[in-house]
Amino acid sequence: MKMLKHEKVHANQSDQQQKHIAFFSTRPYERALYSELLETVSVDNDKPIKVVFFEHPLNASTAASCNGYSDVVVFVNDDINAATINALKRCGVKHIALRCAGFNNVDVKAAKKAGIKVSRVPAYSPETVAEHTLALILTLNRKTHKAYNRVREGNFDLGGLMGFTLHGKTVGVIGTGKIGQAVIRILLGFGCRVLCFDPQPDNDVTASGAHYVTLNELLEKSVIVTLHCPLNEKSHHIINAESIDKMPQGVMLINTSRGGLVDDNAIIKGLKSKKIGYLGLDVYERESELFFHDHSQEIIQDDIFQRLTTFPNVLITGHQGFFTLEALHEIAATTLNNIITGANTL
Ligand code: NAI
């Protein structure tokens, strides 16, 4: 894997205990990246940082194996519920470092109660996820994934490949934080009219030319709806049968945030009735059972996921919105910095 030049992670460990870090749910590309970065961290010779990489996830059963680790580094689908946290506490773990932005998979209250610090990577190239969002929109619209296969088979028929011109279309952006704003900038560049909904509006968004409206107005007027808000109690299933009902016929729905934002049963009904004309997902509510692993030789048991893959107008990617070289470097550098300096705690 080609490595980018990166800033040295600054570590002054003189006033710290020795770090013994366990990484969970790791893939080979991450191990190479973190190993290289760790070599650049300057530490006291008598307190070298010890690291172990596990492929398996961290959850209530695997947490029991964390004896002797000061820090655990986890990803989007590790299950850090109260039981996991209690097991980590018994093992003496002091810090849970999320190597991602979203923290819906961590019981932060339980961690606070247990005296375990939780940190995350609040921002890393929001453009990375925004660009993937546009990749889904453009692929679904212009059907380049189907054209690729056709042309390779010598079939140059254009039937079924017709798209629509994005310029001038109204797009609804739900959540106008870092990623939502990056999406808005790109959409405005395409010449779209952008409607936004966020309980905490941002003046920069209005100044850029997008318009805040109520969620209902956004749903009613947008031919594309894209989700960029965190998953929490209020946003769980924000897209449901009722909200789909408000959308125009043939709407395009895009979710690169968290699977739990959409009610999959309502989505399937919407696809069957043709209310939803296009669906692009990079996340899925029960993705922890599937994503980041090769299940191609198995019988996938998740019938809802399997049903979704049968629609010709559905495009699913396996949580790869963050997956660029630049973003991975930023995530790794911030995660190590969080461990060493205690920054970005929740
Ligand atoms: P952010 O914290 O900068 O922005 C989130 C925005 O959503 C805030 O402005 C907040 O006020 C708003 N919001 C909160 N509740 C809302 C609601 N009920 N309705 C509408 N808006 C609401 O977060 P950022 O960095 O923009 O990330 C957004 C989400 O993207 C993350 O929470 C994460 O789930 C997801 N994500 C996905 C990745 C991928 O690889 N597919 C990678 C990184 C993040």
Side-chain angles (χ1 to χ4, degrees):
M1 182 180 179
K2 186 172 164 271
M3 296 294 177
L4 288 179
K5 278 192 179 167
H6 47 70
E7 294 294 315
K8 190 169 170 148
V9 174
H10 300 290
N12 179 0
Q13 277 205 309
S14 52
D15 55 346
Q16 297 205 6
Q17 289 184 335
Q18 181 172 7
K19 293 286 181 196
H20 199 169
I21 312 168
F23 286 74
F24 286 85
S25 302
T26 58
R27 314 301 299 148
Y29 47 80
E30 289 180 296
R31 286 170 222 148
L33 182 63
Y34 280 94
S35 300
E36 190 201 300
L37 203 52
L38 275 159
E39 280 174 22
T40 73
V41 180
S42 58
V43 291
D44 291 353
N45 285 340
D46 59 333
K47 290 178 186 169
I49 296 177
K50 289 188 192 165
V51 171
V52 60
F53 295 104
F54 294 121
E55 199 171 321
H56 61 259
L58 180 61
N59 53 38
S61 24
T62 58
S65 66
C66 286
N67 249 326
Y69 297 111
S70 56
D71 304 69
V72 290
V73 181
V74 299
F75 197 44
V76 288
N77 291 325
D78 291 297
D79 188 8
I80 323 298
N81 58 24
T84 309
I85 285 163
N86 287 336
L88 292 177
K89 188 182 178 188
R90 284 194 293 277
C91 292
V93 171
K94 301 279 184 282
H95 180 195
I96 300 162
L98 284 143
R99 53 183 196 279
C100 56
F103 51 94
N104 51 287
N105 55 332
V106 180
D107 187 335
V108 179
K109 268 192 201 154
K112 277 207 173 115
K113 203 169 150 205
I116 300 180
K117 218 167 23 182
V118 180
S119 67
R120 66 173 181 136
V121 183
Y124 56 92
S125 178
E127 286 76 16
T128 299
V129 185
E131 288 168 13
H132 191 71
T133 304
L134 264 293
L136 293 179
I137 293 174
L138 292 170
T139 308
L140 277 167
N141 176 15
R142 303 304 293 268
K143 303 169 182 66
T144 45
H145 54 321
K146 296 185 188 220
Y148 171 82
N149 287 326
R150 269 197 206 180
V151 170
R152 280 171 73 94
E153 287 176 10
N155 176 0
F156 303 97
D157 181 14
L158 296 183
L161 297 184
M162 193 187 292
F164 59 85
T165 303
L166 202 49
H167 182 93
K169 293 293 181 299
T170 300
V171 183
V173 176
I174 299 181
T176 58
K178 292 173 285 296
I179 296 170
Q181 289 190 32
V183 169
I184 291 169
R185 285 192 291 274
I186 300 173
L187 290 171
L188 291 172
F190 269 94
C192 295
R193 178 169 175 253
V194 181
L195 301 181
C196 315
F197 171 73
D198 193 308
Q200 290 181 291
D202 186 316
N203 289 338
D204 288 348
V205 171
T206 315
S208 74
H211 308 275
Y212 280 106
V213 293
T214 61
L215 182 57
N216 277 350
E217 188 176 347
L218 181 151
L219 296 172
E220 282 162 14
K221 294 190 174 159
S222 304
V223 296
I224 301 173
V225 173
T226 181
L227 295 166
H228 301 288
C229 56
L231 175 63
N232 53 40
E233 276 170 23
K234 280 195 184 148
S235 64
H236 182 250
H237 288 187
I238 192 169
I239 301 299
N240 51 41
E242 211 183 314
S243 46
I244 293 168
D245 205 37
K246 293 182 180 128
M247 297 177 186
Q249 189 69 19
V251 66
M252 180 188 289
L253 179 64
I254 304 289
N255 185 10
T256 59
S257 278
R258 284 294 179 266
L261 294 173
V262 303
D263 175 351
D264 296 317
N265 286 310
I267 293 283
I268 288 171
K269 276 194 189 137
L271 284 162
K272 285 170 80 176
S273 70
K274 301 189 183 166
K275 181 84 174 179
I276 298 175
Y278 311 80
L279 175 69
L281 302 178
D282 186 47
V283 286
Y284 175 66
E285 193 157 19
R286 287 162 302 283
E287 68 177 49
S288 59
E289 326 251 306
L290 295 171
F291 285 9
F292 305 119
H293 294 279
D294 180 1
H295 298 286
S296 57
Q297 303 305 313
E298 298 165 21
I299 306 297
I300 291 177
Q301 299 294 329
D302 188 326
D303 292 346
I304 293 178
F305 185 83
Q306 290 302 80
R307 180 67 179 107
L308 282 171
T309 62
T310 64
F311 294 96
N313 50 354
V314 172
L315 176 60
I316 306 177
T317 52
H319 207 141
Q320 65 176 78
F322 70 99
F323 200 53
T324 66
L325 184 60
E326 292 81 357
L328 282 186
H329 271 267
E330 277 187 55
I331 293 168
T334 306
T335 303
L336 290 183
N337 205 49
N338 290 347
I339 289 173
I340 290 158
T341 67
N344 292 314
T345 51
L346 293 169

